[in-house]
């Protein structure tokens, strides 16, 4: 099983130094390693790794062995300063680790990045309402999370640069960065079926594309159908995107034909499921197998550790930063990139209860 991916000490040191540079504490040249060692109380190797990371981000420039690194002025970190808007799927994305990292990284490069006042859910995922909102928002470029195909097609038809994250970007002429869940998710379903599970439910509100399962879930359903399992709304239910709406869904799911396996997309929904099970004496994994699609290090603190999917957020953040820099320098970047996903086994999957 892969080890937990907690932030390393050098990553934490790099984040601290990045913040201090952004605040203007140091200008011109970076303090020498001995000065930083005395201040931070970490090893010389850790400081060096952190400084090298800032070099890769374009914040520092090496002047050669034994010489202090040059700090890149914020106004020169990119060809021009962009005002970049993040259009989240729902309000929960505002404080996601990836969003926070983006705000920090792009700010150090001189860009003005902000979270849009509305989300896709609040705009009904409707192109006309999105178009009206975008027209009222002052932005040079957009980063759009988990959008449906119709919304992305509208963005692709506009002159404003747009990067789609997670969304339905297949066949759409737009820059995109996807996380590839298909193969590991199908493999997970296959292993659950082999363990005797027939009532497998996916709590993924984003999986519904205007009431119809998206291509990913259609392939998952196809795998279930190959094993003689009839699929439908029970397996990928929709719900009102509120706490009350989610608990009403759980009540209905466990009322008559309770699932034997739940695959949950978002961390808040996972915590709600765990609370729901605790209140009703539903034991994991004896009564219910539980899997999370979110790559959160917090899951390793659960006992048993929650089986979940893991992917490298850092590679995705770097891709987004690279796209913004390309746009700032006048490049027409419409590349599609894919981040691979792996299944991290925990102790929350067991055989289906008899």
């Amino acid at each position: 099983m892969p080890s937990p991916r907690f932030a390393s000490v050098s990553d934490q040191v790099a984040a601290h130094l990045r913040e201090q540079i952004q605040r203007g504490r140091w200008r011109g040249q970076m303090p020498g390693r001995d000065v930083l060692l005395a201040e931070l109380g970490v090893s010389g190797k850790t400081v060096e790794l952190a400084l090298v990371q800032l070099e890769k981000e374009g914040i520092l420039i090496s002047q050669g062995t034994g010489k202090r690194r040059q700090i890149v002025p914020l106004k020169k970190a990119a060809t021009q300063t962009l005002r970049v808007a993040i259009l989240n799927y729902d309000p929960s994305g505002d404080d996601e680790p990836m969003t926070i990292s983006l705000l920090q990284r792009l700010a150090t490069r001189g860009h003005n990045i902000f979270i849009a006042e509305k989300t896709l859910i609040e705009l009904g995922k409707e192109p006309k309402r999105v178009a009206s909102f975008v027209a009222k928002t002052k932005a040079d470029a957009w980063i759009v999370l988990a959008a449906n195909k119709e919304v992305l097609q509208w963005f692709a038809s506009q002159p404003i640069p747009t990067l789609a994250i997670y969304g339905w970007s297949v066949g759409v002429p737009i820059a995109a960065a996807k996380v590839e869940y298909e193969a590991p998710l199908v493999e997970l379903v296959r292993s659950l079926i082999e363990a005797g599970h027939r009532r497998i439910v996916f709590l993924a509100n984003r999986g519904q594309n205007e009431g119809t399962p998206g291509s990913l879930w259609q392939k998952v359903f196809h795998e279930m159908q190959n094993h003689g399992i009839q699929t439908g709304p029970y397996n990928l239910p929709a719900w009102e995107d509120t706490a009350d709406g989610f608990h009403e869904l759980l009540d209905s799911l466990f009322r008559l034909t309770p699932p034997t396996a739940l695959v949950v997309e978002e961390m808040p929904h996972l915590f709600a499921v765990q609370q729901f099970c605790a209140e009703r004496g539903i034991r994991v994994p004896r009564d219910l197998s539980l899997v999370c699609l979110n790559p959160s290090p917090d899951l390793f603190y659960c006992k048993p550790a929650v089986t979940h999917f893991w992917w490298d957020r850092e590679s995705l953040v770097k891709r987004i930063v690279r796209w913004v820099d390309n746009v700032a320098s006048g490049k027409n970047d419409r590349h599609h990139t894919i981040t691979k996903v792996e299944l991290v086994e925990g102790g929350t999957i067991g055989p289906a209860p008899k």
Side-chain angles (χ1 to χ4, degrees):
M1 182 183 76
S3 301
R5 272 85 158 177
F6 299 109
S8 66
V9 178
S10 62
D11 288 337
Q12 296 176 52
V13 171
H16 171 74
L17 297 179
R18 188 186 304 114
E19 180 184 7
Q20 296 301 307
I21 292 171
Q22 181 183 351
R23 291 181 176 181
R25 178 182 176 187
W26 301 303
R27 298 181 184 275
Q29 289 186 324
M30 196 68 184
R33 192 177 70 166
D34 291 343
V35 174
L36 295 175
L37 281 174
E39 175 179 331
L40 301 173
V42 296
S43 69
K45 181 179 179 180
T46 297
V47 170
E48 185 63 26
L49 287 173
L51 293 172
V52 169
Q53 181 173 327
L54 296 184
E55 285 181 19
K56 293 178 179 178
E57 295 175 13
I59 298 173
L60 298 178
I61 298 176
S62 174
Q63 302 296 308
T65 305
K67 296 182 179 180
R68 292 162 60 185
R69 291 168 170 84
Q70 192 75 22
I71 299 173
V72 178
L74 292 181
K75 64 180 180 180
K76 296 182 180 178
T79 304
Q80 62 175 315
T81 297
L82 295 182
R83 183 171 171 82
V84 184
I86 298 178
L87 180 58
N88 276 324
Y89 179 82
D90 58 33
S92 67
D94 291 359
D95 56 359
E96 282 191 355
M98 189 187 76
T99 302
I100 295 171
S101 180
L102 270 179
L103 294 172
Q104 294 174 342
R105 296 281 185 89
L106 291 176
T108 61
R109 303 177 84 82
H111 300 297
N112 180 2
I113 181 167
F114 64 98
I115 298 173
E117 293 181 357
K118 298 277 188 182
T119 66
L120 282 169
I121 284 292
E122 291 169 326
L123 295 170
K125 298 183 288 186
E126 298 177 3
K128 288 184 178 181
R129 294 180 63 185
V130 170
S132 177
F133 174 69
V134 169
K136 298 174 184 177
T137 305
K138 185 179 179 181
D140 302 308
W142 286 81
I143 298 170
V144 183
L145 276 66
N148 55 358
K149 191 170 186 177
E150 292 75 15
V151 167
L152 292 184
Q153 285 175 330
W154 177 84
F155 272 107
S157 69
Q158 304 303 306
I160 188 168
T162 304
L163 174 64
I165 308 294
Y166 310 136
W168 304 91
S169 57
V170 176
V172 180
I174 194 172
K178 296 188 65 177
V179 179
E180 184 51 70
Y181 276 100
E182 180 182 320
L185 190 54
V186 169
E187 184 60 33
L188 168 67
V189 169
R190 191 174 295 131
S191 65
L192 288 172
I193 293 172
E194 290 175 354
H197 293 276
R198 309 287 292 180
R199 298 196 298 274
I200 305 171
V201 173
F202 304 92
L203 299 182
N205 214 1
R206 302 180 193 182
Q208 297 283 358
N209 185 22
E210 304 304 327
T212 303
S215 59
L216 170 64
W217 302 105
Q218 289 175 11
K219 292 175 182 178
V220 169
F221 282 7
H222 181 70
E223 180 67 27
M224 296 170 68
Q225 292 161 5
N226 285 342
H227 289 81
I229 301 175
Q230 185 176 356
T231 60
Y234 169 83
N235 305 99
L236 186 64
W239 65 88
E240 181 185 351
D241 203 11
T242 62
D244 289 340
F246 187 69
H247 280 274
E248 288 175 6
L249 168 69
L250 293 178
D251 285 333
S252 65
L253 280 175
F254 284 85
R255 185 173 299 127
L256 297 176
T257 54
T260 62
L262 277 183
V263 181
V264 186
E265 183 179 29
E266 299 294 338
M267 289 295 295
H269 297 150
L270 175 71
F271 296 148
V273 167
Q274 290 175 317
Q275 180 189 39
F276 179 91
C277 291
E279 290 176 349
R280 288 157 180 78
I282 301 171
R283 296 160 294 182
V284 176
R286 180 172 175 176
D287 303 320
L288 176 72
S289 289
L290 190 60
V291 181
C292 185
L293 299 183
N294 194 294
S296 172
D298 298 339
L299 298 173
F300 290 99
Y301 283 95
C302 298
K303 281 190 175 292
V306 178
T307 298
H308 64 280
F309 284 179
W310 185 270
W311 47 272
D312 184 12
R313 276 198 180 102
E314 179 63 20
S315 66
L316 187 58
V317 169
K318 288 180 178 178
R319 162 57 181 151
I320 299 171
V321 171
R322 187 167 62 250
W323 176 80
V324 173
D325 283 346
N326 286 341
V327 171
S329 62
K331 296 179 181 178
N332 184 18
D333 183 350
R334 292 192 174 186
H335 294 272
H336 284 218
T337 59
I338 296 176
T339 299
K340 296 295 183 182
V341 173
E342 61 180 308
L343 180 66
V344 180
E345 296 182 4
T348 56
I349 291 183
K354 296 182 180 180

